[in-house]
Amino acid sequence: MVLCWIHRVLLLVFTVDSVAWSRVANGDENDAAIHDVKSNLYELVDTQEDMHRVLASSDQALHFYVMGDVPYLPRERLLLPQQLAGMEARASFAVHVGDIKKRSTTCQQGHYTLVGDMFDELAIPTLAVPGDNDWFECEDKKGAYNLWNEFFGHNTRGLHHVTNVQHQATRPENFAFEINDILVMGLHVVHASAANSQSAANMLDDISELAVEWIQQQMGSLENTRAVVMFAHAIPFHPKFLPVWDELKRIVQDNPDVPFLYLQGDLHKFQADTPMENMDNFLRVVVDKGGNADPMEVIVDPASQGAPFKLRRRPLSVYQDNETS
């Protein structure tokens, strides 16, 4: 009898998880912010086979994975290597959009080493941008920032590398490279809590200023650029990062024929929208928290039929995690 009830409870748990994922994956009709059906910049692709067909139709497509906000919990540290191993080796690269730990997790070298070692085992190049949990929420902000950059800021991880990647000299976490005339950029933008010291405020000002310089340097001329893909932890709505947002809006407005994709973490739940008023060539996508989904698969090809950005959300069947910090 006890075993029977345990079986019923487990069945109920997995049924609820499946229903919850279905609502998240397909968009909840009561949450209009989840899925912006008005945008013609992206398509949600259902299966791996469909992604293969897209790739087979063009030799100029850019194929990659993106993840974020993981690993937070001990079980996620066990799961993440399996998630990473499930990424196809044919992809050009993968990017982690920040927060490799919970805010409450201590900022010790061991955690950075753990995640860096996971990336080193991958068959595809892996890059990262920092999240606020990775350094700003640490007691020793500068020390944690330096530690993050030691492991993730200066080069790609994995068994192979992006050969033409550039890093900003003063802020190496800002990176850029081109593949098939598609510009790929990493930006240090975080949703930081209120700076609790003048030195922390000055550091955010400096990071924002240098992010603007990096954008200007890399996007000074987009005449031959087919698309722009950006990775950051957060959208630059934080007061300290508004200059970044203003510069992005100026560039997007000046290049109406170039599709822009801005991929971020931070909010933990998939969202796709066009937040720049009267500019329908800029798409912002929030990736699901890594504890709730496998890395999202993306194909960029402005010359293909349909939308230039193809997104495949990959459900996590093991468990769902509602941790939000």
Side-chain angles (χ1 to χ4, degrees):
M1 179 66 72
V2 173
L3 290 176
C4 180
W5 276 106
I6 292 176
H7 180 266
R8 290 180 181 178
V9 170
L10 288 174
L11 181 61
L12 177 61
V13 168
F14 281 106
T15 300
V16 170
D17 277 353
S18 299
V19 171
W21 171 258
S22 177
R23 292 183 63 182
V24 171
N26 296 308
D28 190 331
E29 62 182 2
N30 296 319
D31 189 354
I34 292 295
H35 182 64
D36 179 9
V37 296
K38 295 178 294 183
S39 175
N40 59 3
L41 287 177
Y42 77 102
E43 297 173 12
L44 291 177
V45 178
D46 293 328
T47 68
Q48 186 71 72
E49 290 72 23
D50 291 335
M51 294 296 268
H52 288 169
R53 279 191 284 271
V54 173
L55 289 171
S57 67
S58 172
D59 59 359
Q60 294 296 305
L62 177 62
H63 178 212
F64 61 87
Y65 291 87
V66 58
M67 72 201 89
D69 303 283
V70 69
Y72 276 18
L73 304 174
R75 63 185 181 225
E76 293 177 11
R77 293 168 202 150
L78 297 175
L79 178 67
L80 183 56
Q82 302 173 46
Q83 293 179 290
L84 298 176
M87 299 187 300
E88 287 200 326
R90 71 166 69 187
S92 296
F93 59 87
V95 176
H96 191 297
V97 289
D99 276 7
I100 61 169
K101 65 179 198 64
K102 286 182 64 175
R103 182 180 304 175
S104 58
T105 303
T106 58
C107 305
Q108 299 298 317
Q109 179 173 332
H111 193 78
Y112 301 85
T113 302
L114 175 71
V115 178
D117 287 347
M118 292 180 191
F119 290 169
D120 281 341
E121 299 298 320
L122 296 180
I124 61 176
T126 304
L127 302 100
V129 290
D132 51 301
N133 291 358
D134 298 326
W135 71 273
F136 188 81
E137 305 299 342
C138 299
E139 185 175 353
D140 179 8
K141 293 175 173 51
K142 187 173 182 179
Y145 168 82
N146 291 336
L147 192 59
W148 187 93
N149 259 310
E150 177 184 344
F151 284 90
F152 305 103
H154 294 273
N155 49 38
T156 54
R157 307 296 291 248
L159 301 176
H160 306 282
H161 301 283
V162 179
T163 55
N164 61 335
V165 65
Q166 303 175 48
H167 292 271
Q168 190 176 29
T170 45
R171 292 291 177 189
E173 65 272 22
N174 292 327
F175 64 81
F177 56 92
E178 282 194 10
I179 297 179
N180 297 335
D181 293 324
I182 297 170
L183 176 62
V184 179
M185 292 185 62
L187 295 171
H188 188 168
V189 177
V190 293
H191 183 196
S193 57
N196 55 9
S197 68
Q198 188 59 49
S199 62
N202 292 343
M203 197 170 179
L204 288 177
D205 286 335
D206 183 69
I207 289 171
S208 177
E209 179 180 337
L210 289 169
V212 171
E213 289 183 11
W214 188 242
I215 291 168
Q216 292 170 341
Q217 179 182 337
Q218 298 299 325
M219 300 192 203
S221 175
L222 297 177
E223 183 178 354
N224 299 314
T225 302
R226 299 168 61 229
V228 175
V229 179
M230 291 168 280
F231 299 91
H233 181 63
I235 198 80
F237 290 164
H238 186 283
K240 292 289 186 182
F241 288 96
L242 287 180
V244 177
W245 185 243
D246 290 339
E247 185 62 21
L248 285 177
K249 286 195 295 184
R250 182 190 68 79
I251 291 173
V252 171
Q253 186 173 31
D254 288 347
N255 296 273
D257 296 327
V258 177
F260 292 78
L261 175 60
Y262 189 99
L263 289 155
Q264 68 162 95
D266 187 45
L267 302 180
H268 296 186
K269 187 177 183 181
F270 176 83
Q271 180 174 327
D273 56 23
T274 52
M276 290 188 179
E277 188 175 1
N278 299 322
M279 291 181 237
D280 57 5
N281 59 322
F282 181 93
L283 177 69
R284 184 269 294 265
V285 173
V286 181
V287 302
D288 287 299
K289 179 183 180 297
N292 291 335
D294 288 346
M296 186 169 70
E297 188 176 8
V298 181
I299 293 175
V300 179
D301 188 6
S304 68
Q305 290 187 340
F309 306 126
K310 310 291 195 299
L311 314 176
R312 178 177 170 246
R313 300 174 65 203
R314 301 164 68 236
L316 179 69
S317 60
V318 179
Y319 63 87
Q320 278 195 305
D321 166 32
N322 295 318
E323 296 269 351
T324 58
S325 60

